[in-house]
Each structure stands twice: as structure tokens, then as C-alpha cells.
Amino acid sequence: MSNLEQTLSIIKPDAVERNLEDKIKTVFKNEGFKIVKEKKIKLEKKDAEKFYKVHETKPFYNDLCEYLSSGPIVVMVLEKNGAVLDNRKLMGATDPKKAEDGTIRKEFGLSIDKNTVHGSDSLDNAKVEIDFFFAH
Ligand code: CMP
């Protein structure tokens, strides 16, 4: 049975800065994800604050928004059966030190902040996050 989903992925500033964009896209493609939309942008801090609004009460919120708006990022819509969960698995744990072998954050992540990629954590959030970047 088909369970085709779309999820939002962001290649974060630490990875773009280290020229990892193509390598990371290859990882997604090799795992069966289709990149159906993509763009490279640089966010204003106020946009990062809107994007990460769910985290606004967290102590790391300001640093997180500073960081996401600190340099170019690549935002992508990834599509495959079970895309949301499969992308979460492929990214690995938020903290690269805790990420499993073979995951993107284990291989490329530098720290819990500079953890290379973001991915939607649920199908509902995927829709909201895709709209945030690609609705207009
Ligand atoms: P991301 O999946 O983009 O979602 C929120 C981000 O907050 C997360 O990745 C981390 O990079 C960042 N972050 C910083 N500190 C923490 C923390 N203590 N717990 C969870 N996320 C954190």
C-alpha cells in the first residue's frame, strides 16, 4: 500500500559552509527520497524565529534562531513512502554525539546546535513547514 508523504528538510548553515550540500542530497537520494522542491536562501532572524516558534520558551531559542539565520541554508521538500519517519531515522538523534552510526548527524554533525540538518517531526508539522517555505 502506498503511504506517499512529503517532509521538509533543511541543510543548515554549518553544512552549507562546509560544502556538504551535494553529499547530503546524495544520501537522501540513495535512501529513496525524491527532492521535489528545493531552494537555497538566507533567512532573516525574524523568519527563523517564526519557523522555530514551537521552541520559543526554550533556553536555546535565541541562539538557535541566530544560528539558522547566520548563513545560507538549503530547504527541500523530500518525498517517499513514510518520508517523515524515514527522514527522522536517517538524520539520527538531535545531538550528533548520540546519533546512531550511518546517520547524517553522526557522520557530519558538529554539535547539538550545528547538527547539519533539520527535519519535520510529524506529518502535521511537515505540512506547516513546507507551507512556511514554499506556499508562495
Ligand atoms: P532541529 O531538529 O532543527 O530542531 C530544533 C533545534 O534546536 C535542534 O535541531 C537543535 O539543533 C537545537 N538545539 C539546541 N539545543 C538543544 C537542546 N538542548 N535540545 C534540543 N534541541 C536543541
Side-chain angles (χ1 to χ4, degrees), residues 10 12 51-52 54-55 58-61 63-65 67-68 88 91-96 105 111-121 129:
I10 302 178
K12 293 188 180 186
F51 179 72
Y52 276 134
V54 290
H55 294 301
K58 310 268 175 59
F60 55 83
Y61 179 64
D63 286 350
L64 174 63
C65 297
Y67 169 61
L68 194 72
R88 302 285 295 176
M91 287 193 300
T94 307
D95 183 349
R105 285 168 169 164
S111 65
I112 195 163
D113 303 295
K114 297 184 173 182
N115 64 353
T116 305
V117 280
H118 166 85
S120 309
D121 65 1
E129 293 184 351

Side-chain angles (χ1 to χ4, degrees), residues 65-77:
C65 297
E66 283 280 352
Y67 169 61
L68 194 72
S69 56
S70 68
I73 59 173
V74 178
V75 288
M76 300 175 291
V77 176

Side-chain angles (χ1 to χ4, degrees), residues 31-98:
E31 291 296 320
F33 291 90
K34 190 170 161 194
I35 301 171
V36 296
K37 287 181 190 165
E38 64 171 290
K39 59 183 177 183
K40 190 186 257 182
I41 53 173
K42 186 172 180 304
L43 292 181
E44 298 291 329
K45 190 176 175 198
K46 64 175 172 28
D47 297 318
E49 287 168 351
K50 272 186 219 153
F51 179 72
Y52 276 134
K53 198 162 176 24
V54 290
H55 294 301
E56 73 182 330
T57 60
K58 310 268 175 59
F60 55 83
Y61 179 64
N62 187 59
D63 286 350
L64 174 63
C65 297
E66 283 280 352
Y67 169 61
L68 194 72
S69 56
S70 68
I73 59 173
V74 178
V75 288
M76 300 175 291
V77 176
L78 303 181
E79 186 176 271
K80 81 185 280 265
N81 285 334
V84 174
L85 193 60
D86 281 3
N87 182 38
R88 302 285 295 176
K89 285 190 203 147
L90 183 57
M91 287 193 300
T94 307
D95 183 349
K97 287 201 291 288
K98 296 178 184 156

Side-chain angles (χ1 to χ4, degrees), residues 11 15 18-31 35 76 90 104 107-108 116-117:
I11 302 178
R18 286 178 288 151
N19 289 314
L20 293 173
E21 186 183 331
D22 288 343
K23 265 191 189 156
I24 291 171
K25 283 183 192 165
T26 300
V27 172
F28 284 126
K29 287 178 196 159
N30 286 346
E31 291 296 320
I35 301 171
M76 300 175 291
L90 183 57
I104 293 173
E107 186 165 354
F108 302 114
T116 305
V117 280

